Amino acid sequence: MTDLVFETADRLFRDAVDKDLLDAAEAGTFPRELWRAVAETGLVEAFADPETGIADAGAVLRAAGRHAVPLPIAETLLARRLLQRAGLDAPEGPLALAPADPRDRAAFVEGRAMGTYYGVAWGGDAAALVLLADGEVLVADPVRTRIEPGRSLAGEPRDTITIDGPVLAHAPAPTDVAGLRLEGAWARSLMMLGAMETVLDVAVTYANDRVQFGRPIGKQQSIQHQLALMAEEVAASSVAARLATERLDGPEAFLAVAAAKIRCGEAAGKAAEYAHQVMGAIGFTHEHTLHHFTRRLWTWRDEYGRESDWSIELGRYVASVGADGLWPWLTRA
Amino acid sequence: MTALRFDPTNLPPETAALRQEVRRFLAEERARGSWSPRGDFGTHPDPAFSRLIGARGWIGMTWPRAYGGHERSGLERYVVTEELLVSGAPVTAHWIADRQSGPLILRVGTEAQKQRFLPRIARGEIFFCIGMSEPDSGSDLVSIRTRGTKVDGGWRITGRKVWTSNAHISDYAITLVRTGPPEPDRHSGLSQFILDLKAPGVSIRPIRNLAGHHDFNEMVLDDVFLADDLLIGQPGDGWKQVTSELAFERSGPERFLSTYRLLAALVEQGGYDPDDRMAEQTGRFVAHLWALRGMSLSIAGMLQAGEAPNLEAACVKDLGNSFERAIPEVARLVAPTVPLPVPGANDDFAAIQAEAVLNAPSITLRGGTREILRGIIARGLGLR
Ligand SMILES: Cc1cc2nc3c(=O)[nH]c(=O)nc-3n(C[C@H](O)[C@H](O)[C@H](O)COP(=O)(O)OP(=O)(O)OC[C@H]3O[C@@H](n4cnc5c(N)ncnc54)[C@H](O)[C@@H]3O)c2cc1C
């Protein structure tokens, strides 16, 4: 089932997302038609199946990363999951999800939401905003909020949203800000994995094609070793991301997701560095597609907690488990 | 481009009980004084302890009962080995026979060889080492010069082997020898022998390493006679035999756990309320360890399913070795003490640290250097 979901998403994105679409999205045109195709295929409802939902959603996210899909896929998936668990109806269309930033402060008092959310992905393009405040899940109409547009390193919308008024719907939240951050970190890990797979592919192909000193640069050991290291990073990320997917609803979600975000985030930086070194100046141009992936890697590794943030949290948890408890904990999880 | 594949593997439930059994055994034996972790690096040899392990059925676990094995699964073996390694138990003496020599005999040995060697290996009574490297042949193993000449009833072997770990405590060395011309290609004409280390003409000399320990040796083979029944596999098949089990040799928990004791000790140094600097480092290491173990287990599952994930195994070894080497490098920066050798100390943090720093260079050399592994992966990516 999950393999089929991945193939469906991968095919749809491969056919639809090209350089022109990515450039247009970055220039501010929301790819409506692509969204319609995604919605029709049911990809943003991947969580719905209680048995395979998490694995299916993970497959969609990895495929989205692979093709640098400029849509709030992760946000819509996670927002729909949140609404479903809160017993609220999910509005049609792309959804924005907040808070994504630990600085966010918001309150919900007597039916009114008040506060500011930073770095909201596609806040200005979303059909509805799905928010957490004071232990409630809120569905808000973007028209009734103030939206200051912003951009990520990858040129994707990351907006600041200020809300002060009534909401469309609300219900007690099934999770808290930390729980949402955990799911966001999981989603970004899978997206990074997908993007890294493409970056590796692009760099290996280039190394075999590009000739200098009379032979492909891929014959040079130093280039080979950088690509081998990149492949190792991708491999470690793929396993860390899978372990997190298997445990997202389990008792060891914190360990598995923290490890995935740390491992994939670290790998993302390395993969981007190696790829750009191997590709030379052409990889540094706007014309080449590589940067659509590497700029996303640089963005995603910082979102929902950097490697340093998760490492400190994990390290503190390890300290509470203790040196003697560490191995039993790792082998139980 | 060949994609690296890491299939999901989850340990079957019955391994949980086995894991507890190993932990209980180690705790009881330690209380009884049969063993204790030493301040030294990874693990160390102790023939008496190996016999205890053999008696428990934890050597040759996956081999047929007919040869003294226990017909357990590869994943059960995995659980036992990782528990033994993490505890710092002295498993060195039987390690190579269990991981490498026994499986080789099982795969290509004659019926008589299987009967003769395997039950004694499984009982922890005889130990093996590996005689491959020579003074002029390291990474380029095919270039070895130790020669074997066919004579009546056997072979005469002459040459020099170096870096032979634990030859001084072993009974046999699986030894790679040139027995024929390098034709049609240079990988041809090599053969493997079960070299009896007590045979006339074998002399073993210690080579002290920079940490001051005697772990590896030089073996001089001066016209050593080996009977026909000590040739293992077919003459000329040596290279094929050496390379066919690399996934087993490069993906196990010993490829990322050799400085685990230092990591655990570092966690202890940090206490219940570590500062951010310490927490960030131990947390990061645990994330890496978690991913590495997942990769290694995945390979164990694929091996059990009869696959040969050689590229994936090279990945685990290279990443795992880098992880092992990073731990002492970071520990010295965040720990309150600097590495200091303390002779005879078991649990002293500075001593564990010192051993890790001094032994670190060997990690990325033994069992295939980092550069060789990366070359293998690059070839797998379609770059060579
Ligand atoms: C602790 C320890 C235990 C060992 N135990 C055993 C044992 O029990 N039995 C046994 O047979 N051997 C053993 N070895 C030997 C080990 O297998 C060799 O050290 C290893 O194969 C490398 O060979 P070398 O040391 O001769 O280095 P070399 O092959 O001379 O290499 C030196 C350096 O050059 C690099 N290099 C070589 N060729 C290339 C290339 N083509 N491209 C790029 N770089 C290259 C290497 O990676 C390395 O960095 C042991 C080694 C150690 C350190």
Side-chain angles (χ1 to χ4, degrees), chain A residues 221 225, chain B residues 41 96 129-141 161-167 174 209 215-217 359 361-373 375 384:
Chain A
Q221 196 176 53
H225 286 193
Chain B
F41 177 68
I96 294 297
C129 59
I130 302 170
M132 299 209 289
S133 307
E134 298 183 2
D136 293 326
S137 304
S139 299
D140 185 15
L141 186 58
K161 296 287 176 183
V162 283
W163 327 129
T164 321
S165 299
N166 299 306
I174 302 283
N209 67 28
D215 293 338
F216 55 29
N217 302 272
N359 280 285
S362 70
I363 295 175
T364 42
L365 296 172
R366 61 184 188 187
T369 70
R370 161 193 276 174
E371 289 72 24
I372 295 304
L373 296 171
R384 292 170 69 184

Side-chain angles (χ1 to χ4, degrees), chain B residues 108 119 130 143 172 204 248 265 318:
Chain B
V108 301
I130 302 170
S143 67
Y172 298 93
I204 296 170
F248 282 95
D318 193 28

